[in-house]
Amino acid sequence: ALPIFDYVMSAVIRGKGEFKLAAKIEIFLRPIMAAITIAAASLFSTAQALILVYLILLIGKILIKIPILRSQVSQEKLFSTPFSQLQFRPLFNFGIWTWAHTLGGLSLSVIDRLLVGFLFGSHDLARYGTCTDHSYGWSTDSARLWSPATTR
């Protein structure tokens, strides 16, 4: 959720027309984050420590962006009128098929792994996940090889 929140904050800065400011923030912070992550990888040998370092860096990046966003958005109202049910219903009806498609696709992509894990255990789930991931890779590789022959 934190990377998405960071992305949304960057999108708001860009959405206000501050493309240079958004680029400067990312150009300044990303190399620092990479250097600290590389240093942490050489110091710590566990994945948990690296994940903790990444989360701390991401929280720091978000805390740097918050005052910038406050200075840009504080004078404006985000919504000029209250959001009534009459405005919400067309938006919901417009997006209902997108939500249904997304939730259906997510459930179809996860339900087989949930069933295999529940019925056969974690060892067979790992084997099943490896097999399906490899078969997906093979099918996409063959599709990539075939596509130049079929395009004009």
Side-chain angles (χ1 to χ4, degrees), residues 13-50:
I13 293 171
R14 287 191 308 269
K16 300 295 288 177
E18 298 289 338
F19 297 104
K20 286 184 181 181
L21 178 63
K24 286 179 184 177
I25 292 170
E26 295 299 323
I27 288 171
F28 177 72
L29 291 178
R30 283 192 183 184
I32 293 171
M33 289 178 68
I36 293 173
T37 304
I38 291 170
S42 65
L43 292 174
F44 307 113
S45 60
T46 63
Q48 290 90 354
L50 288 176

Side-chain angles (χ1 to χ4, degrees), residues 2 45 85:
L2 284 176
S45 60
Q85 186 178 6

Side-chain angles (χ1 to χ4, degrees), residues 48-60:
Q48 290 90 354
L50 288 176
I51 291 171
L52 183 63
V53 167
Y54 174 72
L55 288 175
I56 291 170
L57 289 172
L58 196 56
I59 289 170

Side-chain angles (χ1 to χ4, degrees), residues 92-144:
F92 181 77
N93 290 339
F94 176 75
I96 193 165
W97 295 112
T98 304
W99 282 106
H101 176 75
T102 303
L103 292 175
L106 179 64
S107 64
L108 288 176
S109 68
V110 173
I111 198 159
D112 59 340
R113 293 177 190 248
L114 288 174
L115 286 173
V116 169
F118 178 74
L119 295 174
F120 301 110
S122 61
H123 186 264
D124 289 330
L125 174 62
R127 215 182 291 162
Y128 175 77
T130 303
C131 291
T132 55
D133 290 345
H134 282 300
S135 66
Y136 176 75
W138 292 331
S139 66
T140 56
D141 288 343
S142 62
R144 253 187 258 126

Side-chain angles (χ1 to χ4, degrees), residues 51-101:
I51 291 171
L52 183 63
V53 167
Y54 174 72
L55 288 175
I56 291 170
L57 289 172
L58 196 56
I59 289 170
K61 187 177 176 185
I62 290 170
L63 290 175
I64 289 171
K65 289 182 182 179
I66 287 175
I68 297 168
L69 282 175
R70 279 194 180 163
S71 68
Q72 289 185 348
V73 181
S74 65
Q75 288 82 20
E76 300 176 18
K77 291 183 178 179
L78 294 178
F79 297 105
S80 60
T81 59
F83 212 58
S84 68
Q85 186 178 6
L86 294 174
Q87 292 171 329
F88 180 73
R89 187 170 301 260
L91 288 175
F92 181 77
N93 290 339
F94 176 75
I96 193 165
W97 295 112
T98 304
W99 282 106
H101 176 75

